[in-house]
Amino acid sequence: MNLVTDGLPAMALGVDPTERDIMYRRPRNPQESVFSGGLGWRIAGTGTFFAFGTLLAFAIGLVMGPVELARTMAFNTLVFFQLFFVFSCRSERHSIAEIGFFGNPHLILAVSVSALLQLSVNYIGFLQPIFHSQPLELKHWAVVLAIAVVPQMMGTLWKAVKDRAMERIMYIRV
């Protein structure tokens, strides 16, 4: 799973264009932890959300069919959580709506290839026994994708709300 969800997207993030306002920010204190500024809490919160979402997909899968279906739905939910979440990783301060979805064509390609590799685990016959997966129907994909897209939507909303709050604070200060 890490090869599919982390390798290619991480390399594509490495060539992401710099943020337009990077030079207007104060330098980071070299004594400051990498996890400062709430990053540690965001990582823990995101991981917890991914865990609960994956378990939710598994539970819904058990209601919809056998344990093999539930396992496949959970696996795909976790992978697509990460593939969608990589777009939020492009900026700590700006939402994907602000920086643009298509600003890094390498990332689009990397996520597309990773998604195709994940789909092959579900639909290529000799890979199914290796990964204990099975083909998903459209209704199963609807559940998987509906759950997996939530963190991206929440992150975009959070960054928008935070930006508006910062604009008001800056306006009041002036």
Side-chain angles (χ1 to χ4, degrees), residues 29-50:
N29 182 346
Q31 304 301 320
E32 200 172 72
S33 167
V34 173
F35 297 106
S36 66
L39 180 61
W41 288 107
R42 285 196 307 267
I43 291 170
T46 301
T48 301
F49 195 89
F50 282 15

Side-chain angles (χ1 to χ4, degrees), residues 26-107:
R26 288 187 316 204
R28 185 183 62 81
N29 182 346
Q31 304 301 320
E32 200 172 72
S33 167
V34 173
F35 297 106
S36 66
L39 180 61
W41 288 107
R42 285 196 307 267
I43 291 170
T46 301
T48 301
F49 195 89
F50 282 15
F52 281 120
T54 302
L55 291 172
L56 175 62
F58 185 81
I60 293 170
L62 282 177
V63 170
M64 297 176 90
V67 72
E68 292 80 12
L69 173 66
R71 186 174 39 230
T72 303
M73 287 177 65
F75 181 47
N76 281 282
T77 300
L78 185 56
V79 167
F80 280 94
F81 264 144
Q82 293 178 331
L83 291 179
F84 293 153
F85 184 70
V86 73
F87 291 100
S88 292
C89 296
R90 290 185 62 204
S91 172
E92 284 186 44
R93 297 176 186 245
H94 302 290
S95 72
I96 192 69
E98 291 177 283
I99 59 176
F101 185 78
F102 298 103
N104 183 347
H106 302 288
L107 186 59

Side-chain angles (χ1 to χ4, degrees), residues 8-23:
L8 292 174
M11 288 189 294
L13 278 178
V15 296
D16 204 55
T18 58
E19 294 182 57
R20 65 185 180 279
D21 62 347
I22 192 78
M23 295 305 289

